[in-house]
Structure formats: C-alpha cells, structure tokens
Amino acid sequence: MTKQRLSRRLAAGTATCATFALVAGCGGAAVSPSQAAQQAKQNVRLVDSTPAATGPLDKATWFMPKEPATLDLDNDAAGATTDTVMGNVCERLVQAQPDLTIKPWLAEKYEWKTPETLVFTIRQGVRFHSGNEMTADDVVWSMNRHAADGANESDEYENVSEVRKTGPHEVTVTMKQADAVFLKALAGTGGVVLEREAVESQGDAFGTPRGDDACTGPLELKAWESGRQIVLTKAADYWNQERASKTGELTIRWADDDAVVNSLLTGEADGAYLENIASATRLAGGPNTTVSQGPDTRVWNSMVTERGGLTDVRLRKALALALDRDGVSRAALAGLGVPAAEPVGPGAWGYEAGTFRAASEKLAANAPAKPTPQSIEAAKKLVAEVGATQQIVVASDGTTGRDVIANAIVDAAKKIGLDARIIQIPPQQYGDYYSDAEFRKQADLFTDDYFISKNDPVGFYKNGASDSTVQWVLKDPEYDALVAKAKAELDDAKRADLAVDLAQRWAEAMPWLSVVQSPTTVVLASDVTGVPASGAFRNYPWAADLGAKGE
C-alpha cells in the first residue's frame, strides 16, 4: 500500500553467508568485513541509471527476494515484488523517470485548470495487450478502482471528489482541495490504466496465477508458475515502438540472499535489485558482475510508540545523539548504506533537488553519523533534565537489520545513563505495531525500513500530521496546517520551501529515530546493462531497457 508503502519485509536481512562472512565465496579465502566493505564501496557506481544498452537480448533471467502475493496492483497484498514485476507490464498516466522526474505518458498532457481541477488529455492509439484500444472510459474506471475502499492506493485519492470523462479523450479530476502530491502519486500505482473488460471478465482470477494482465506496457504476462517463476514477453504490438522492450523474454525467479548471490556469480541470473544490500560485497568488482546504486526513498527508522518511555522529546534527541549510525551501516549493510538524519531518502527529490540537498546537509550536521564525546555529553544533559525514567523497551523480530539497530539503540541508551532492553517479536506479528494500539504498549521503539512511492518529500512528511497512522507522538496543529498548505501548493519551488519547513519541524519533534538510508542497489551480469539504478524501478518498465552491453 502506498499508505506510504510500508515495506514490512519481515524476511529481509536474515543472517546469511553473504551478510556476515563477507568472503570471496562461502568456504573460500577469507576477507575481513572492513576490507570487503571498502572494496565494494570502491567498485559501486553511483548513478540514476546504468549505461544504455546497445543491443537486444533474446532472453534474460532476473531474481527477486520472494514471490509476489498478487499481480493485482490494487490488492492490498501487493508490495515491492508486485511492483518490480508489474512496472514492466502496466503503465501510468504519468511516468517516473530514472532521474526521479515525471513526464506525461498514457496522458499526453495534463493541466491544472484551477487549483482543484486537474485535466488529462488521454493519448490516442494506445492498445492494451488484448488488442483493444485504451479509452477515456478505461481511465475513469481505473482511477475509481484505485480510489475504492481497501484498494492499495485509496489513500492517495482522499482529496478526490470526482473523476469523470469530459470529452472523447479527456478526463477531469475534481479535488476537494488542491493536492500537488496527487499528481506525483499517479506515477505510482494510483495512475495505472487497466482495461475494464479484461479485468471484469477474469473475475477472481485476475492478479492470480490463473489470470492474465490487463495493461498496455512494453512487456506482457506470459505465465505465472506459482512457486517457481513468472515469465514476461515483449509486447509485439506495443504502442510506442521507440520504447519497445530490448528484452524478448524475461524470466523472474525468487530465492534467498545466498541463492541470489550465487546465481549472479555463476551466470545463472542476469540481474537483481538487492533487498539485502550487504550482499553486494560479494558482487562488486567481480569479473562477472557490476553493482550500481542510486537514490531511493527507503530508510531504516525506529518508530516511537505512545507507550510512554520516550514520549519526552528530550529523551528521543538524547538517543539520536548517542546512536552510532555509521556502525549500523557497517554491521547491517556492509557500509553500503548512508547514515540518515532524515526519515526519507533523496529518492524523494523529484524536483528542486538543490533545495532539498542543502536542507538535508544542514540536518545531517546536527545528527552525527557516529557519536562524539561532545554529543554524548549533550545527550547526558538532556537525560538529566528529564530525571528518572522508565526502562526503554526496543522491539525486534530477529532479522539482522532490526537486531543490529535494536542493539545499537540499547548501546546508545547505556552510554547516556538510560536502562534499555530488547524484546523479540515473531515476524508474523511484527506488522501489528502499525495497526494495534494495544500491541504497541509492549515496546517504546520498533524498527522498519520504510519507503514511499512518490518523488516528493511532502508525500512523506504528511505522516507527521496528528491523524497519521504511522506515528503516534507528534500532535501539532501548526504542523497539520503546514501539511495542508504544502499539499495544496502547486508551485514546485514554493512547495519545496514548505517541505523543508516540515522536515525541520519533524527533526525537532523526532517522532522516529532515523538510522540509515538504503540506496537502490542493482547487480547486473557483466554483459548486460540499461536498467535504472534509482528507486524509480518500482514503477518504471526497467526490463524494457535491459539489453546487451557494447564492446
């Protein structure tokens, strides 16, 4: 759900040979973790996209961490793996680019006629994979499906009062109030156009291994063999031949970290977007693979509950000052993460990037990557101001990333005179922290990797509103009013200034402890290239760009 795309990847970060041994090959000549991390960082390319392909591929094999629960993007069971597959099959009214900007796509243009009226001119000549032409009626039906109660993107439509066809090739969205973030959301699942006839004729089979797709993209669904693989093929009659898929057939499989790494090392796989980016230490700089990283919105954060131990902001700031983020990055992400001063990564900077970069650097200066004697003393003073406090309880589900962060928080607490301990929660229950207030009473902090599907910081910082369902300690009418103002501001430069203000207020209130950014990390076989290295891949037809590398 992009209720802000809570990842809740409860299998992520499991201890593996790739995570801890950091060797040339399990059982091979040992390389120390620090050496492996340093070698990896030297060989990782930092780019929005890998170099463009110069030739086609007949077939390619791609790996993911797990099998999708559904291929219906509106199903609330859809997540990152569903996006990774269907970004190649389904297209949006507007399309996110590898550099995080958006451009008109299935809508050939859009215009805010008034601050509350957004008009789309629907592109003509686009055909679904069934061969039927896309119509404005399909667009209206699709948007209403996304807005329906329980749909994955329904929260993005909260300000929409009506979607209607206003011409043969025109759709008008009327808003209850201006909402600039809505347009950014349409580059995600909220903007996907489906063929109504195809969806309705499939009934309950749609989105399952028994179903077919109902989309317009450069690849189409050939088969979903449950438990084994998904196969996509090049759409023969794709409407935009200039952007036709370079890959003829793509087989997508899923496996744990070690299996993915070994498949890449042996040449069984042509590529993978890594969930556990520490795995890249075995792949960066090797003779058969290349590793690239790009901006993402994904950050590991520790969410503060309303339980009571950390409801005083001074204690939250004290912990933040004493937290060794650099150590977490090295231990959990093999040094391939970035210590985070903010709860959302630079992948949100889809406009006015210079403004956001300057503000981010300012926030980072006040949040040291690792504690210093000065920051420890400042933290101790804050604890002394508060006086006697109850024990801080930190939750983990036993996976590597959460365990590393939980231990770092306990260590930080002890350094500044606070009592803290860790409780272990079964992975199946861990997600209940978001939905069950009674469940949250057992811990003061729980950790998750959190990302949004919109390239707009306002799309994240709206989580600081008093009615948010993902934070429970920031209740500020001024912040609420600023969220409403920022969402309503259609001018990018002005909205960027408001977003910076929200970021500063969030940092002051600190409803979450931000720990480490996890950049998008893509590994490719040495003879292929072309895919995005940024978080845009979740909603962009990355496989269509995958092709052969020139000599």
Side-chain angles (χ1 to χ4, degrees):
M1 65 187 96
T2 16
K3 294 169 183 170
Q4 310 303 323
R5 275 283 184 218
L6 301 177
S7 67
R8 300 185 196 175
R9 300 178 180 123
L10 301 181
T14 304
T16 64
C17 164
T19 305
F20 286 122
L22 302 179
V23 294
C26 291
V31 177
S32 74
S34 60
Q35 288 176 316
Q38 188 61 34
Q39 290 170 7
K41 290 185 78 168
Q42 290 175 349
N43 289 293
V44 170
R45 301 171 183 172
L46 302 174
V47 292
D48 292 331
S49 189
T50 58
T54 58
L57 291 175
D58 289 337
K59 295 185 177 181
T61 301
W62 200 267
F63 270 80
M64 300 194 304
K66 61 184 178 182
E67 183 173 13
T70 178
L71 294 185
D72 180 356
L73 289 161
D74 283 324
N75 190 316
D76 64 4
T81 52
T82 305
D83 294 340
T84 302
V85 175
M86 298 307 286
N88 300 295
V89 177
C90 297
E91 295 182 302
R92 286 89 172 139
L93 290 167
V94 295
Q95 187 184 80
Q97 302 302 297
D99 67 358
L100 308 176
T101 59
I102 64 171
K103 64 187 294 185
W105 200 247
L106 293 182
E108 65 179 23
K109 68 177 182 179
Y110 55 82
E111 182 180 2
W112 289 97
K113 293 288 188 179
T114 73
E116 295 82 25
T117 309
L118 180 59
V119 178
F120 294 93
T121 302
I122 306 306
R123 193 178 298 277
Q124 299 180 53
V126 175
R127 293 193 176 274
F128 293 108
H129 296 147
S130 66
N132 295 326
E133 189 166 355
M134 180 188 74
T135 68
D137 293 310
D138 288 306
V139 174
V140 171
W141 181 84
S142 297
M143 296 182 83
N144 284 324
R145 189 176 194 261
H146 303 324
D149 288 344
N152 204 16
E153 294 286 279
S154 58
D155 64 310
E156 304 297 353
Y157 281 77
E158 62 186 3
N159 281 332
V160 174
S161 59
E162 184 183 38
V163 180
R164 63 192 178 96
K165 178 180 175 180
T166 49
H169 308 290
E170 183 179 277
V171 171
T172 298
V173 179
T174 304
M175 316 292 291
K176 299 171 188 174
Q177 59 190 50
D179 188 349
V181 178
F182 175 72
L183 185 59
K184 306 289 185 180
L186 295 186
T189 302
V192 168
V193 179
L194 301 167
E195 182 183 9
R196 179 177 184 173
E197 179 182 338
V199 173
E200 293 184 338
S201 66
Q202 292 179 57
D204 292 341
F206 182 67
T208 76
R210 296 180 290 113
D212 199 353
D213 77 68
C215 296
T216 63
L219 289 103
E220 57 186 306
L221 179 64
K222 179 179 180 181
W224 178 3
E225 301 172 39
S226 183
R228 183 167 178 260
Q229 63 187 22
I230 293 171
V231 180
L232 307 181
T233 57
K234 180 178 180 177
D237 298 318
Y238 181 52
W239 62 273
N240 185 355
Q241 285 298 303
E242 290 183 3
R243 297 293 302 276
S245 178
K246 292 182 173 66
T247 296
E249 182 173 283
L250 180 73
T251 299
I252 300 175
R253 297 178 179 146
W254 38 87
D256 63 22
D257 289 334
D258 278 342
V260 171
V261 169
N262 289 330
S263 295
L264 288 160
L265 288 172
T266 60
E268 179 186 350
D270 292 290
Y273 286 102
L274 296 182
E275 182 170 69
N276 176 11
I277 68 175
S279 300
T281 54
R282 294 178 60 201
L283 298 163
N288 301 319
T289 54
T290 61
V291 178
S292 302
Q293 287 189 317
D296 203 342
T297 63
R298 184 181 175 198
V299 174
W300 284 90
N301 293 281
S302 283
M303 289 73 168
V304 179
T305 73
E306 65 272 51
R307 178 174 182 264
L310 292 173
T311 52
D312 191 312
V313 68
R314 290 171 293 180
L315 294 182
R316 304 198 291 271
K317 288 183 177 180
L319 272 180
L321 285 168
L323 185 60
D324 186 356
R325 295 172 178 82
D326 183 66
V328 169
S329 177
R330 286 184 281 108
L333 303 179
L336 294 173
V338 180
E342 291 184 85
V344 65
W349 302 347
Y351 62 100
E352 299 295 326
T355 298
F356 294 126
R357 184 175 296 106
S360 182
E361 290 171 354
K362 183 177 179 181
L363 288 173
N366 296 320
K370 47 187 159 185
T372 64
Q374 293 82 6
S375 63
I376 294 294
E377 285 306 309
K380 287 180 177 178
K381 288 180 181 178
L382 289 171
V383 172
E385 286 179 14
V386 177
T389 61
Q390 68 188 62
Q391 185 182 61
I392 295 170
V393 178
V394 185
S396 176
D397 68 348
T399 54
T400 300
R402 293 178 182 85
D403 270 357
V404 168
I405 293 171
N407 279 290
I409 290 171
V410 169
D411 180 64
K414 290 179 179 178
K415 285 179 180 176
I416 58 179
L418 293 173
D419 182 24
R421 67 183 176 93
I422 299 170
I423 60 170
Q424 293 290 337
I425 304 298
Q428 311 91 279
Q429 294 179 272
Y430 199 76
D432 292 347
Y433 278 114
Y434 289 104
S435 58
D436 189 337
E438 195 66 28
F439 195 77
R440 288 195 295 271
K441 289 182 179 179
Q442 65 187 307
D444 298 292
L445 287 164
F446 70 97
T447 296
D448 207 358
D449 58 327
Y450 192 100
F451 65 92
I452 59 172
S453 61
K454 298 170 291 296
N455 304 128
D456 191 331
V458 176
F460 172 82
Y461 284 110
K462 69 178 187 178
N463 288 321
S466 299
D467 60 355
S468 171
T469 59
V470 296
Q471 68 82 19
W472 305 275
V473 296
L474 175 52
K475 309 292 181 184
D476 180 357
E478 289 188 5
Y479 190 103
D480 297 347
L482 192 59
V483 167
K485 185 177 181 181
K487 289 175 67 176
E489 180 53 69
L490 303 181
D491 181 278
D492 282 352
K494 292 178 181 178
R495 190 167 69 262
D497 289 338
L498 294 169
V500 168
D501 192 355
L502 286 169
Q504 292 169 338
R505 289 170 185 258
W506 176 287
E508 279 298 309
M510 204 171 289
W512 296 359
L513 272 64
S514 300
V515 185
V516 61
Q517 294 175 24
S518 185
T520 296
T521 304
V522 62
V523 183
L524 293 173
S526 57
D527 57 349
V528 301
T529 187
V531 302
S534 71
F537 79 91
R538 296 186 187 96
N539 301 299
Y540 175 88
W542 54 268
D545 292 347
L546 179 67
K549 184 184 291 185
E551 295 297 330

